[in-house]
Amino acid sequence: MKPTKSFIDFAAFVSFFPQLVAGPIERASNLLPQFERKRKFDYHKAIDGLKQISWGLFKKMVIADNCAVFVNKVFATPDAYNGSSLLLGAIFFAFQIYGDFSGYSDVAIGTAKLFDFDLMRNFAYPYFSRDIAEFWRRWHISLSTWFRDYVYIPLGGSRVSKLKAVRNTFIIFVVSGFWHGANWTFIFWGLLNALYFIPLLLTGRNRKNLEIAAKGRMFPSISELAGMITTFLLTLFAWIFFRAQSIQEAFKYISRMLTKSLFTVPDILSTSRRSTLTLLLIIVLITIEWLGREQDYPIRDFLKRRSKILRWMFYYAVVLSILALQAPQQQVFIYFQF
Amino acid sequence: MKQFIVRVLVFALPLFLLAIIMEIMLRNIPNDYKYKAKYLTEHSKDIEVLILGSSHSWAGVNPYLIPEKAFNAAYGAQTFEFDLKILKKYEFPSLRKIIIPVSYFSYFSKLEGPYLCKYSLYYKLQTDGGLKALSEFLSHSFIGNVSRIINYYFLKRQAENRSNGLGQEVKKEKSPKSLEESGIDAALRHTYKDTKYVRQNVLFLENIIQIARDKNAIVILFTPPAYMTYTENLNAEQLKAMYQITEYILKKYDNCYYIDFLKDTDFTAEDFWDADHLNARGADKLTRKLVSFIENVTKRSN
């Protein structure tokens, strides 16, 4: 693209507040021209922005922060919990990090829309992915595409010998792990994802699932469902390394989780009503996201064909649920540390 | 733009109304702060002995056992900062004695969170809690607010006031938590990672002592008794710092006296509500000991 000669446009691009702290990672090619063009207030876009902000706040304040309460406890003292509680702790972390970061992204994108800016989509229902390659096309898209364009493709991408393609895949995932911090846990998390990805690459199935699962249908096929569950479990396993303080702690967590007590009722549910509520909220999130998965964010066109009263009641329900169900303690955004 | 603003306002209006109605309802629920502020407004000129401090003195000192006209203006988590603000606001022209606990955490803590609004709303004191501290609705969780409203207005359960006529919280025999559990929990909760508030807390306490001196009043500092499950889990460094600071204060001010009950063996398990709070029986025991200590020091100084 042509470099800008306007210092104000450049400074505004660099310091654009909605996405400044934690993304989406915007390229100049997308954002800079938006500073250069004349913007006008767009009513529909602003309403769209507000809806996206409220959905983002719901994911952050209701889902992520509630999950965090138990994740912090379970990961701090895994010895105090049975296997099923530890599994639940890992599931809670999967939704904590998703709600936290995709929630932030929604707030950033929604805020930008109020000013007639379009930021790139950062999450596209990653937990409905049917394989790990699809997951990485749907998770933190702005970072994945950045790595693809500035690391993977300069290394030759996949248009090289299979051996080099495997090497490139390892490099990109390890670099991605490093990007999160200088800790072996992140490196291991990156390596695990590379290991998940390589079989798909070698068999040429890494671009098999490009559309959203069950597009145009209400329910997924058995194979789609199996793919989604398998992919979720694989990412869940990797998230344990991402969340743990050290590799040893992660292995300790996993070894304690994979015991007979994995098949018992999670003791965390019986000791805390809030953990049961959190689990129910996750189910609500999954349901709403599944119903709205063909939209940029699920509540964009939710109840669009229904009466205005019903739609407004739904929006009130979202706002009131943020007020009523938010966690007792607010948590700092996880991605602010990266 | 106009249409957008109108729509947003129309959407937000019921939420604002709900918030305002809830705020009014919440402020109307009787609570300790409101009661104490009202009592002090009406009686501060007669009060001779003022009990300040945290829950340790709120539950631990019985003003009815003090021979002079006393009032317990302490409250849970109340810091020297708010003790000072209360002292300044109500002036207390007849004041002879101030009783303040110096607990393990007193020099290290700062009052934050939902309690701040109580001081700004009911005592009309300035706080650094911002907008949140000016509203009950904003200071507590939505669910918590709804349950407080339901409990008071619909289920007709008791108001939030736990103090007796002279401001003491008279605690029943025992907390549902065991002495072991509450001791470890409280010791952990009261141990601070840093000393960032120490300097200002010392200044607040010194200010209280100076005001007392100007009124020819004495200040009785005491470290309240605690059960061994609490004392055994305290951080030695923080405890040592607490004693050192208190010693510094005592050397500096001649109207200030101190007595340490922390490990006083006269207090047994039967005297405690939980590991760091006395029940009614323990409070009476402590108050009698305090009264006797005050008599001794006043005799000596005369």
Side-chain angles (χ1 to χ4, degrees), chain B residues 225-256:
Chain B
Y227 194 65
M228 61 173 118
T229 51
Y230 179 77
T231 56
E232 282 168 0
N233 288 293
L234 300 180
N235 174 285
E237 260 182 54
Q238 187 176 318
L239 191 65
K240 191 178 160 198
M242 180 208 90
Y243 284 123
Q244 282 174 340
I245 297 165
T246 309
E247 210 177 298
Y248 157 80
I249 300 265
L250 290 170
K251 274 185 188 160
K252 199 169 172 187
Y253 298 96
D254 58 3
N255 64 326
C256 194

Side-chain angles (χ1 to χ4, degrees), chain A residues 41 43 46-47 50 114 308 312 315-316 319-320 323-326 330, chain B residues 1 3-4 7-8 10-15 18 132 137 141-143:
Chain A
F41 183 80
Y43 170 78
I47 292 288
L50 283 186
L114 294 174
K308 202 178 196 174
W312 275 50
Y315 302 140
Y316 276 123
V319 175
L320 286 173
L323 286 173
L325 302 170
Q326 61 178 292
Q330 286 176 13
Chain B
M1 177 76 99
Q3 189 193 4
F4 175 76
R7 280 282 173 97
V8 170
V10 170
F11 181 80
L13 193 65
L15 295 171
L18 178 74
K132 243 185 163 181
F137 179 79
S141 73
F142 185 78
I143 286 277

Side-chain angles (χ1 to χ4, degrees), chain A residues 110-149:
Chain A
T111 308
K113 279 179 184 170
L114 294 174
F115 301 99
D116 196 19
F117 282 93
D118 292 302
L119 299 184
M120 75 177 291
R121 197 180 183 194
N122 214 15
F123 288 84
Y125 312 104
Y127 290 145
F128 298 147
S129 303
R130 289 148 290 181
D131 59 53
I132 212 75
E134 187 187 7
F135 178 83
W136 281 107
R137 279 192 296 274
R138 296 182 176 279
W139 181 275
H140 202 174
I141 299 164
S142 63
L143 181 70
S144 310
T145 50
W146 194 94
F147 276 130
R148 183 196 66 200
D149 295 347

